Amino acid sequence: MTISNFKLVELASKYHVALLLHNIINVEDLQTNKLKVFMNLILHFTIPDSSGAHFVAFVVRDKNAFYMDSFGTYPLHEVVQYCSKHNIRLAYNARVIQDLSSTSCGIYCFEFLKYIGNSGNLFKKASEFLDVFSMD
C-alpha cells in the first residue's frame, strides 16, 4: 500500500507520534535542520534511476541515533554526514523487513516511530521492533 506524506503526517498526529516540524523531510534538507536532542524524522527521497520514492525513519535521542530502512540498507550519505557533523553515534538495521516489490515503506517507518515512543533505551526498543519480523 502506497502512502502519501500527508497521510503519514495525519497518522502521526492521530497517534501522538512527534515528528520534527510535524512534517516529512526530504533527505536533501536534513543538513539544514538544527540538531535537537529529541528528533523523530521520516525522511523521503527519490530512488536514483527509478520513478519511485522511499521513506526511512531516523531517530535521535541525545547523542544516539537509529536509522531504520525497511529494506535493510546502509544509512544514506546525508544521514551519516549529519551524525558525523553533530558527533552522534549512529546505529542502523541491516535486516530486510519489507518485500522489495512492496510500497509499504512509509507504514513501516510510522510503526517504527510509534513503537520507539518517547522513552526507554533507543537501541533496545529498535531491536525489539525488528525482532518482530522473521528472518526467512
Side-chain angles (χ1 to χ4, degrees):
M1 168 174 86
T2 303
I3 192 164
S4 71
N5 293 11
F6 305 109
K7 187 64 175 174
L8 283 170
V9 170
E10 181 183 308
L11 283 171
S13 177
K14 179 178 180 180
Y15 290 97
H16 308 290
V17 173
L19 289 176
L20 183 68
L21 306 176
H22 307 290
N23 208 343
I24 308 303
I25 297 174
N26 286 321
V27 72
E28 296 86 11
D29 298 329
L30 180 60
Q31 299 302 332
T32 62
N33 284 294
K34 291 190 166 51
L35 174 68
K36 303 212 182 316
V37 294
F38 178 96
M39 290 194 319
N40 290 332
L41 296 170
I42 295 179
L43 301 174
H44 178 263
F45 64 97
T46 303
I47 300 169
D49 302 325
S50 165
S51 62
H54 189 51
F55 294 106
V56 296
F58 179 52
V59 178
V60 176
R61 301 287 186 273
D62 296 316
K63 289 292 187 175
N64 295 312
F66 196 89
Y67 176 90
M68 198 289 299
D69 182 345
S70 54
F71 291 145
T73 64
Y74 186 78
L76 294 164
H77 176 72
E78 293 87 349
V79 172
V80 173
Q81 273 188 323
Y82 185 85
C83 289
S84 178
K85 175 182 173 182
H86 295 289
N87 198 28
I88 298 170
R89 182 173 68 152
L90 175 63
Y92 65 98
N93 69 301
R95 182 182 302 174
V96 177
I97 61 173
Q98 175 184 344
D99 184 275
L100 295 176
S101 63
S102 168
T103 58
S104 301
C105 53
I107 296 295
Y108 284 100
C109 291
F110 168 73
E111 290 298 334
F112 176 75
L113 293 178
K114 190 168 100 176
Y115 185 82
I116 291 294
N118 300 331
S119 61
N121 181 293
L122 172 61
F123 300 136
K124 181 178 183 220
K125 299 243 347 201
S127 180
E128 289 170 356
F129 175 83
L130 294 167
D131 284 347
V132 169
F133 302 95
S134 68
M135 294 289 288
D136 48 81

